[in-house]
Amino acid sequence: MYEHSRSSSDDMDDINVLHHRCLLNLRRRIRDIGDARPAQERYTRLHKDGDMLSYQGNSEEVGCYVAGCPLSKQNCYFEVTIVDSGVRGSIAVGLVPKFYRLDHQPGWLPYSVAYHADNGKLYNGNPVGQQFGPKCARGDRIGCGIQSENIQEGLTTVFFTKNRKEVGSVEVPLCADGLFPAVGMHSLGEEVKVDLQAHWFLDEEDSMMMMVDSHEDDWGRLYDVRVSGTLLEYVGKGKSIMDVGLAQARQPLTTRCHYYEVEIIDAGEKCYIALGLARRDYPKNRHPGWSRGSVAYHADDGKIFHGSGVGDAFGPRCFKGDIMGCGIMFPRDYILDSEGGRGSLTSIINLDEEDDEEEEEEEGEQEEEGRRVTVFFTRNGKLMGRREVVEPEGGLFPTVGMLSSGEKVKVDLHPLSG
C-alpha cells in the first residue's frame, strides 16, 4: 500500500490556517462582546436625571437626545410624557440615525422623522413639516414605533401615538444601523419623561372597550376629520378655505332627538370651528352655514352664517372649554316620518313662546318652499339666539366644520337622552 508522506511545509501551512481561523474567531468574539456592552446614549443642551430630560439651553439652540439602542422587532416602541411644555412647547419625538446631529430637531435632517408637539406636524427628513395630528401639551404622552420593514424597498413604517391612540404612520428609509429613539427641545422650561421600554399592544379587553366606545357609526360623512370615540380631530391641510374638514351625522334631528352639543377640547391655531345643521348632500369643502341648505354658529367670530359666506353678528366668540349647542324647535303639527306621531318640544333651556299668526299667514308660501323650523344655538347652556330656516327634504343633519391645525372637539349627539 502506498503511503503519502507529509512534509514540514505542509504542517506549517495547516498551522497557519488554524492560527488564521483562531484569529478570526477571536476578532468575532471581541466584536460580539463589544456589541453586548451598553450602547452610549448622546445628548446636548439637556439635563438627564434617570428617565427625565429637561432643556438647559438658551432657547436659541436645539437640545437633542438620542438613545443608545435602535428600535427593533423585540423593542419596537417608546413613549415620551410631557411633564412641562415650557415657553413654547417645541418638543419633538421621533427616530433618527445613530450619529444624528444634536443641534437639529428630530425630523429636520434626512433619514429622520418626528412628531412635533407645538404644531402637531410631522417632519420627515425636512425642516418643513406637514400637518399630521393634534398639538400636544403638558400631560400628553407621545409614542413612536416601527410596524414593519420592507427590506427589498429599503423602507420601514413608523407610527406615532398620542395618549395611547394612534395618530398616523409614514414610510421612511431604513438606516444601516437602525433608527434610534430621539427627543428634541427648544425652549426654556421644557421637561419630559422618556420610557424606552414602553409596550404597544391592544389586549382583548382594550379591543372590546374600543368596540363599545366607538361612535364612528354615528357619522355618515367624514372629510379631513378623524373620529375617536366622541372626539373629532381636524387632520386637513388648513391652508385655504377649500381645506374645510367636515363631519356630518348619519341621522337628522327629529322631534325625539332635536338637540346636540359640541365641547371645544382644543381650539387649534385659529379656532375655525363651526357647529350647525346642513342638508344631506352638503358640499364637503364648505363650512356649515356658507352654502344653501345650512345654518351654523361659528366659534372664531361669534357670527351666524345662513346659506351665505357673509355672517351676521350673533353671539360671543367661543374658546377651549366652551360648549356650543344647536337644536330645532319643530312646529306643533310636525309629523314624524317614521311613526306618524307628534313630537314634543322639550329642551334643556327656556325658549319664549312665539305667536303662531305669522306662520299661519305664510302657510301657503311654506308649502311651496318647504316646512319652516326654528333653529336655536346655545353657549354653555345659555340661549344665544335663533334663526328660522326651511327644512330641506330629508331633514337637517348635525354638521361640524373645522379648518385649522390642532382643532379637536367632543360631540354629544344625544345630550338629552336618559
Side-chain angles (χ1 to χ4, degrees), residues 177-293:
D177 293 321
L179 290 170
F180 291 71
V183 180
M185 294 187 239
H186 204 182
S187 77
L188 294 175
E190 294 172 353
E191 185 176 11
V192 302
K193 180 179 180 180
V194 181
D195 183 0
L196 295 175
Q197 306 300 321
H199 295 284
W200 173 250
F201 62 88
L202 287 174
D203 56 29
E204 185 176 349
E205 182 179 354
D206 291 335
S207 300
M208 289 300 296
M209 286 298 294
M210 288 184 66
M211 291 175 62
V212 171
D213 294 338
S214 175
H215 291 261
E216 190 168 353
D217 289 343
D218 289 339
W219 302 98
R221 303 168 67 208
L222 291 167
Y223 298 101
D224 285 336
V225 172
R226 178 184 294 115
V227 59
S228 178
T230 58
L231 292 178
L232 299 179
E233 299 181 30
Y234 177 69
V235 293
K237 298 178 180 178
K239 299 297 183 182
S240 72
I241 62 172
M242 298 301 291
D243 296 325
V244 169
L246 196 75
Q248 188 173 66
R250 187 177 299 276
Q251 301 296 332
L253 291 188
T254 67
T255 56
R256 294 187 182 278
C257 181
H258 67 281
Y259 177 77
Y260 79 104
E261 289 182 334
V262 166
E263 179 182 357
I264 301 176
I265 302 300
D266 194 328
E269 292 184 357
K270 302 291 185 180
C271 198
Y272 288 155
I273 298 170
L275 155 128
L277 301 170
R279 66 181 192 268
R280 186 194 296 271
D281 59 346
Y282 193 77
K284 65 180 181 180
N285 61 344
R286 299 285 288 172
H287 249 323
W290 283 357
S291 295
R292 179 183 58 82

Side-chain angles (χ1 to χ4, degrees), residues 27-44:
R27 287 177 178 174
R28 187 178 295 111
R29 289 180 61 189
I30 292 174
R31 184 189 64 193
D32 292 341
I33 293 173
D35 290 343
R37 291 180 301 183
Q40 186 66 41
E41 57 189 6
R42 301 186 303 125
Y43 54 92
T44 187

